Amino acid sequence: MSFTVAEIHQNLFSIISSLLDRRDEFLKNPSSDFTRKKKISFEQTILFPMIAGADNVASELLNMFGEEDLPLPSAMIQRRNQIKKEAFQELFSLFTQSIPKDKNFHGYQLVACDGTRLNLPYNPTDFDTLVDNVKGRKSFNQIHLNALYDIMNDIFLDIEIQGMKGMNERDAFCKFLDKCSLSEQKRIFIADRGYATFNIFAHAINNNQLFLIRIKENDALALCCKDKHVVEDCLFDGNFTINIGRIRHGKNCKYENYHLIRKEYRYDFIEYGEDKVDLLRLRVLKFPLSSGVSEYIVTNLPRDVFSLDTIKELYNLRWGEETAFRYLKYAGNMVHIHSLKSDFLIQEIYGKLTLYNFSSCIANSITKRESASNTYTYNFNHSQIQKFVRLYIIGVVKDLEKLINRFLVPVRPGRKFKRIIRRQSAVPLSYR
């Protein structure tokens, strides 16, 4: 089921209106806040963190309100201070739940998990986000945004925000998996090598979730009982039983393919020193890339349903989240945070995520016009869509569908860019 542009717009504003009806939950002083008519309404206060761009607050207010009704930045700060950050979290959650998620992969929702860093205005008193250990560089502030992303429908489903001092991507992934335990939706979670830990495998299996995670060659060899075929064969696809424990000696050592989780690494299902063994059934695959390098995957997807070629296709789709992060941060202006206050920071982050999902929902609802050129196929310009959507929300743009269709961009299949190789953890999977 798809909606028209007008229906999506109406849905967003209807949800914003419903938040004001729940004033006891989302206003700091529900008996007095937003009870009288003022220059800045509740709706405009909610919208401002969503649509604010890269300019200063005064210029962004001018773009939103116009010259005659222009409020001062201090007035907007006062209004934003009356709304709890939970209102923006609820707006993101309710709007995301209302989006049709019609696209799937053979009946499965494909969910990618990854993280990205966001620079904040410099605040030396915020020790949770302060980074001061980079040699030769002045200290700065950052947070780590962990996100679940629906690959096929191009929407962000959930996030976990962490300060750099307490950054832990794996812990965030475990929280996502635990939240999804009661969902009836069939999902496949896809992640990169940084998430390849026994704790994550166990969380997924205990929550009846399917996963597909890239791993390093040494980790693949460890999982496969050092089977020489993992290294020697060009293609490999094998099922293995892994025994997980927390003690080095005793009866646990009699188990085949036994892996010790050391004290300093998390495994939420066995206390350190406890005489207990968990059994994980995993599938390990190896296949070559076009560059000649071999890729290794660990998964619990059944072989009779998901062939090696299907696994390759699934993992390739994960890169859609990297593109989504780029649009979110730059076209969606997530890199331009205006606030030092932590509550305002949350408002802006959830506001920008709501705008991204709103833009994506708009794009999915629009019928793309046919191009007269036969040289390329054409697709929507997602950077322009987010800019046009902001103008549409404040009433500057009237016919959004027509405007978006004027800025189609050619699709150039086979284009490749040099990959940036980041330093990977040297800790073997066996000990994590």
Side-chain angles (χ1 to χ4, degrees), residues 246-292:
R246 286 288 212 168
I247 60 175
R248 186 182 298 276
H249 302 292
K251 65 179 182 180
N252 287 0
C253 296
K254 71 181 180 181
Y255 291 99
E256 186 180 357
N257 206 4
Y258 177 75
H259 292 261
L260 169 73
I261 307 295
R262 294 199 303 202
K263 185 176 182 178
E264 59 267 33
Y265 295 106
R266 278 186 59 178
Y267 189 77
D268 297 329
F269 303 93
I270 305 176
E271 293 291 332
Y272 184 75
E274 184 180 353
D275 187 11
K276 178 185 174 184
V277 174
D278 264 3
L279 186 147
L280 305 179
R281 291 185 173 87
L282 303 174
R283 179 183 172 196
V284 178
L285 302 98
K286 173 188 177 183
F287 51 84
L289 301 177
S290 57
S291 61

Side-chain angles (χ1 to χ4, degrees), residues 226-249:
K226 299 186 178 180
D227 187 332
K228 63 180 181 180
H229 295 290
V230 179
V231 177
E232 295 175 356
D233 295 354
C234 180
L235 296 173
F236 181 84
D237 186 352
N239 294 317
F240 297 89
T241 299
I242 315 295
N243 292 288
I244 305 295
R246 286 288 212 168
I247 60 175
R248 186 182 298 276
H249 302 292

Side-chain angles (χ1 to χ4, degrees), residues 152-377:
M152 305 299 288
N153 294 288
D154 187 24
I155 56 173
F156 286 94
L157 301 172
D158 197 3
I159 63 165
E160 287 282 338
I161 300 171
Q162 300 171 331
M164 295 306 296
K165 288 287 190 294
M167 186 192 84
N168 190 328
E169 288 186 319
R170 298 162 184 172
D171 179 57
F173 196 5
C174 289
K175 288 180 180 178
F176 290 142
L177 289 166
D178 293 342
K179 286 182 189 178
C180 296
S181 61
L182 300 177
S183 174
E184 296 181 358
Q185 172 73 49
K186 296 193 298 181
R187 292 190 173 101
I188 300 174
F189 289 86
I190 307 174
D192 209 359
R193 288 186 295 202
Y195 297 93
T197 68
F198 287 123
N199 194 42
I200 286 176
F201 302 158
H203 271 271
I205 291 170
N206 279 273
N207 287 307
N208 297 313
Q209 300 291 348
L210 298 171
F211 64 88
L212 186 156
I213 300 176
R214 184 165 70 127
I215 58 175
K216 295 183 289 186
E217 179 182 319
N218 288 342
D219 292 336
L221 192 59
L223 288 175
C224 300
C225 307
K226 299 186 178 180
D227 187 332
K228 63 180 181 180
H229 295 290
V230 179
V231 177
E232 295 175 356
D233 295 354
C234 180
L235 296 173
F236 181 84
D237 186 352
N239 294 317
F240 297 89
T241 299
I242 315 295
N243 292 288
I244 305 295
R246 286 288 212 168
I247 60 175
R248 186 182 298 276
H249 302 292
K251 65 179 182 180
N252 287 0
C253 296
K254 71 181 180 181
Y255 291 99
E256 186 180 357
N257 206 4
Y258 177 75
H259 292 261
L260 169 73
I261 307 295
R262 294 199 303 202
K263 185 176 182 178
E264 59 267 33
Y265 295 106
R266 278 186 59 178
Y267 189 77
D268 297 329
F269 303 93
I270 305 176
E271 293 291 332
Y272 184 75
E274 184 180 353
D275 187 11
K276 178 185 174 184
V277 174
D278 264 3
L279 186 147
L280 305 179
R281 291 185 173 87
L282 303 174
R283 179 183 172 196
V284 178
L285 302 98
K286 173 188 177 183
F287 51 84
L289 301 177
S290 57
S291 61
V293 177
S294 293
E295 199 71 275
Y296 297 86
I297 298 290
V298 61
T299 182
N300 61 345
L301 295 172
R303 187 186 300 179
D304 56 341
V305 180
F306 296 90
S307 66
L308 190 146
D309 287 338
T310 305
I311 296 290
K312 292 168 65 176
E313 182 182 357
L314 280 170
Y315 187 75
N316 186 56
L317 290 170
R318 190 202 74 84
W319 295 102
E321 184 169 19
E322 304 288 349
T323 305
F325 273 138
R326 186 174 75 246
Y327 290 138
L328 174 68
K329 291 170 71 172
Y330 300 103
N333 288 302
M334 183 81 87
V335 291
H336 301 292
I337 300 294
H338 296 84
S339 311
L340 283 175
K341 287 185 64 174
S342 60
D343 281 9
F344 283 10
L345 169 66
I346 299 297
Q347 290 182 6
E348 292 199 45
I349 289 174
Y350 277 95
K352 295 294 191 289
L353 284 162
T354 304
L355 181 73
Y356 183 96
N357 285 356
F358 180 77
S359 303
S360 182
C361 193
I362 292 284
N364 289 333
S365 71
I366 290 177
T367 302
K368 184 171 57 181
R369 68 173 175 81
E370 294 295 327
S371 173
S373 172
N374 294 324
T375 307
Y376 297 110
T377 57

Side-chain angles (χ1 to χ4, degrees), residues 88-151:
F88 293 82
Q89 294 170 327
E90 184 73 355
L91 172 61
F92 168 72
S93 177
L94 291 177
F95 183 75
T96 302
Q97 291 172 23
S98 71
I99 297 175
K101 303 171 184 66
D102 302 327
K103 299 177 183 178
N104 58 67
F105 188 88
H106 304 303
Y108 290 89
Q109 182 184 27
L110 299 187
V111 181
C113 181
D114 207 347
T116 188
R117 298 183 182 188
L118 298 176
N119 291 324
L120 307 179
Y122 180 58
N123 182 4
T125 64
D126 186 358
F127 298 109
D128 189 43
T129 65
L130 188 67
V131 180
D132 57 1
N133 57 356
V134 180
K135 186 177 180 180
R137 182 174 176 183
K138 179 184 174 183
S139 58
F140 54 96
N141 293 81
Q142 277 187 339
I143 60 168
H144 195 79
L145 180 69
N146 304 277
L148 281 189
Y149 172 74
D150 186 324
I151 298 171

